[in-house]
Amino acid sequence: MRVLVAGANGQVGQRLIQRSSHDLVALDRGALDITQPQSIQSAIERHRPDVLINAAAYTAVDRAERESALAVAGNQTGPALLAAACAGAGIPLLHISTDYVFDGTADRPYVETDPTQPLGVYGQTKCAGEVAVRAALPEHIILRTSWVFSAHGANFVRTMLRLADTRDQLSVVDDQFGGPTGADAIADALLGMVDRYRDTGALPWGTYHFSQLPYVSWHQFACEIIRQGRASGLLDHDVEVVPVPSSAYPTAVERPKNSRLDRAKYDQAFDLQTPSWKAELAQVLGALSARS
């Protein structure tokens, strides 16, 4: 089973490379630019994959407000072109999406059928990318996830550790809630789908929510990062994490207050035991500790 991955340098792309037992070809933007039809076609013709995973995206939430053309290209045009190319080649597409397709006003975890009402350009372009994939290719999985972290790239865990290294106090918002999700867990979910497709020649196509538990606020997440950071030796001093409202940190675009994703549909469709994000956080911190 040959798997072609777009977005090799991203958090999930890196973990797919490390965790796959398949014949996996992961390409960065220089080798596979999802915004260019010829680049996609050349990659498919050269590598002849059985499955394509799209881990590429424009993810700068605030910059997207002033770089809307780049966000459209990466999050809307790119997935549309990938889906069309996959349809032409007769292969399925596994596409990663986000909790930002919702406005965060619900009082419960979001299910897949809830109306999408993104708050900003990033969420709007990711939502449009989903629509384009559904329209072009029936054989697709759209995996919405949230609060992605790993030992690679820019993410909340690494930011908290970097700030805590030189400070005794951090202020973190406590009125936004979601499910932190390790890139390892996402990679394993996608690779589990590849395994099933290899074994059965089909998947229960559609949109799924996938995040790890328990749900927490950014403040609670930060507290656990600091606690485990101290225990692992990555931090050599105590750091106070002060809860503050979102209004204390104005941003170019409002974040969803509720990013909780209900993953019951995924759990029913796919038999994969997923650890809590706290366990995966420990693994991430162990990897970072080994580098230092």
Side-chain angles (χ1 to χ4, degrees):
M1 178 68 64
R2 173 163 288 189
V3 182
L4 179 61
V5 175
N9 288 337
Q11 293 189 80
V12 176
Q14 285 288 300
R15 300 317 297 160
L16 285 167
I17 293 169
Q18 294 296 319
R19 300 178 78 80
S20 176
S21 60
H22 296 279
D23 178 8
L24 185 140
V25 179
L27 303 179
D28 62 17
R29 185 175 180 181
L32 172 51
D33 184 345
I34 67 170
T35 70
Q36 301 298 319
Q38 187 54 53
S39 180
I40 297 171
Q41 196 60 40
S42 295
I44 289 177
E45 289 177 356
R46 178 179 180 184
H47 298 290
R48 299 189 178 280
D50 300 294
V51 178
L52 198 154
I53 297 176
N54 181 31
Y58 179 100
T59 59
V61 176
D62 288 324
R63 281 210 318 271
E65 298 301 305
R66 62 179 187 273
E67 296 179 350
S68 59
L70 292 177
V72 168
N75 296 338
Q76 179 177 344
T77 305
L81 293 172
L82 284 172
C86 286
I91 58 175
L93 173 65
L94 310 184
H95 173 67
I96 301 171
S97 192
T98 175
D99 58 294
Y100 275 66
V101 301
F102 300 113
D103 64 8
T105 60
D107 60 2
R108 53 166 175 76
Y110 281 94
V111 297
E112 290 80 356
T113 54
D114 282 327
T116 53
Q117 295 179 304
L119 295 173
V121 171
Y122 168 70
Q124 290 162 6
T125 56
K126 290 296 288 184
C127 187
E130 290 186 5
V131 172
V133 168
R134 294 187 191 103
L137 181 67
E139 295 79 16
H140 70 265
I141 296 286
I142 294 171
L143 193 71
R144 291 178 181 150
T145 190
S146 61
W147 296 17
V148 182
F149 68 92
S150 71
H152 174 83
N155 59 71
F156 186 75
V157 170
R158 298 190 70 192
T159 296
M160 289 298 100
L161 292 173
R162 174 176 55 80
L163 294 175
D165 190 47
T166 58
R167 301 183 189 181
D168 296 324
Q169 185 181 90
L170 299 174
S171 296
V172 182
V173 297
D174 67 346
D175 56 0
Q176 298 173 23
F177 294 85
T181 312
D184 276 2
I186 300 169
D188 288 348
L190 292 166
L191 292 170
M193 293 174 184
V194 173
D195 289 343
R196 181 161 168 178
Y197 183 69
R198 175 200 60 202
D199 295 341
T200 68
L203 285 172
W205 310 113
T207 301
Y208 293 88
H209 287 174
F210 181 84
S211 66
Q212 289 174 286
L213 296 172
Y215 301 125
V216 288
S217 68
W218 285 114
H219 173 262
Q220 291 168 319
F221 189 17
C223 288
E224 184 65 14
I225 294 166
I226 299 305
R227 187 191 72 78
Q228 290 199 27
R230 287 281 283 141
S232 69
L234 277 171
L235 295 174
D236 61 4
H237 62 280
D238 290 325
V239 179
E240 181 185 11
V241 186
V242 180
V244 297
S246 298
S247 58
Y249 285 98
T251 54
V253 62
E254 184 182 358
R255 268 53 172 177
K257 293 292 183 68
N258 174 21
S259 285
R260 294 174 296 162
L261 298 176
D262 186 327
R263 53 175 282 172
K265 179 183 174 184
Y266 171 87
D267 288 337
Q268 281 189 331
F270 299 99
D271 183 20
L272 176 67
Q273 297 298 313
T274 305
S276 74
W277 61 261
K278 292 183 180 182
E280 187 151 340
L281 174 62
Q283 295 175 355
V284 166
L285 296 182
L288 291 172
S289 180
R291 294 180 190 174
S292 60

